[in-house]
Amino acid sequence: MPHSLASQQTTGLIGHAGALRLNEKSLAFKAGAVVLGTLFLAVASRIEVPMVPVPVTMQTFAVAMIGALYGARLGTLTVLAWLGEAMIGMPVLAGGAGGLAHFAGPTGGYLASFPLMALLVGALTERGWNAQRPLLAFTSMLAANALCLAMGGLWLAGMIGLEKAIMLGVTPFIVGAILKSALGAASLVALSRTAKRGDA
């Protein structure tokens, strides 16, 4: 057996379309994964530190992980499904909120960035920015977080001005973005090592 193929099989969680290799699963399995992914995102949204005008949550961590684990296509679809739940009023956003008003308020830019975050991380994961290369995995998640802050900050600037938007909607989240990106990369490494032990 070629070394590269053996390496892929033993890593278990590393695959072409996201770390969970969901592209190899049935349509029903993928649908179940989407549902579980939206639940994960909803739970992560409940973990928050209240701030004005935008709270600190674990949403960006969850979105990046969904992208890395599910891949670009299914990860983006999962995030869109979660946002769709929020739009129809399901309590899946920060603090158990839901409804269209949140997409037009201060958090609108951040919410709009989430599918793009999943797409970016998923696409980079498919290109090898994964648990086998933790620094690149961290970089992909940090880039996705930077995209989120840029889009969120620009949206917020239209409401309260650029200076206040940077001060209130970007700067307070930079350290958290770095920490959540590091946690995401570490989580991928831990999952990969668990899979290796399971295959042993």
Side-chain angles (χ1 to χ4, degrees):
M1 180 181 293
H3 175 72
S4 59
L5 180 58
S7 176
Q8 282 187 358
Q9 289 183 345
T10 55
T11 54
L13 288 173
I14 305 302
H16 173 67
L20 293 181
R21 302 195 323 204
L22 294 176
N23 61 315
E24 301 174 0
K25 306 298 183 180
S26 67
L27 182 60
F29 192 97
K30 292 177 184 176
V34 169
V35 172
L36 287 176
T38 61
L39 289 173
F40 174 52
L41 288 162
V43 170
S45 298
R46 296 274 185 163
I47 305 172
E48 67 169 324
V49 177
M51 289 178 62
V52 176
V54 181
V56 176
T57 73
M58 289 298 286
Q59 286 175 333
T60 51
F61 166 79
V63 169
M65 286 298 294
I66 288 292
L69 293 173
Y70 283 26
R73 208 175 274 181
L74 194 61
T76 303
L77 177 62
T78 300
V79 174
L80 288 172
W82 168 62
L83 293 177
E85 293 172 352
M87 287 180 181
I88 63 174
M90 294 178 66
V92 296
L93 298 179
L100 286 172
H102 296 280
F103 293 83
T107 59
Y110 303 95
L111 294 174
S113 76
F114 289 162
L116 298 178
M117 286 183 65
L119 179 64
L120 175 60
V121 174
L124 291 174
T125 298
E126 292 167 7
R127 285 159 178 76
W129 296 40
N130 51 37
Q132 300 300 95
R133 300 176 177 87
L135 183 58
L136 288 180
F138 165 77
T139 302
S140 74
M141 293 187 177
L142 188 60
N145 274 275
L147 174 64
C148 175
L149 290 179
M151 290 181 63
L154 286 173
W155 175 270
L156 198 57
M159 305 179 72
I160 63 175
L162 182 59
E163 185 176 347
K164 284 186 177 180
I166 293 174
M167 182 175 64
L168 298 175
V170 177
T171 304
F173 302 99
I174 293 175
V175 173
I178 296 171
L179 293 176
K180 284 184 277 188
S181 298
L183 177 61
S187 298
L188 290 179
V189 172
L191 286 170
S192 181
R193 287 176 179 172
T194 299
K196 285 181 182 179
R197 287 196 294 267
D199 290 342

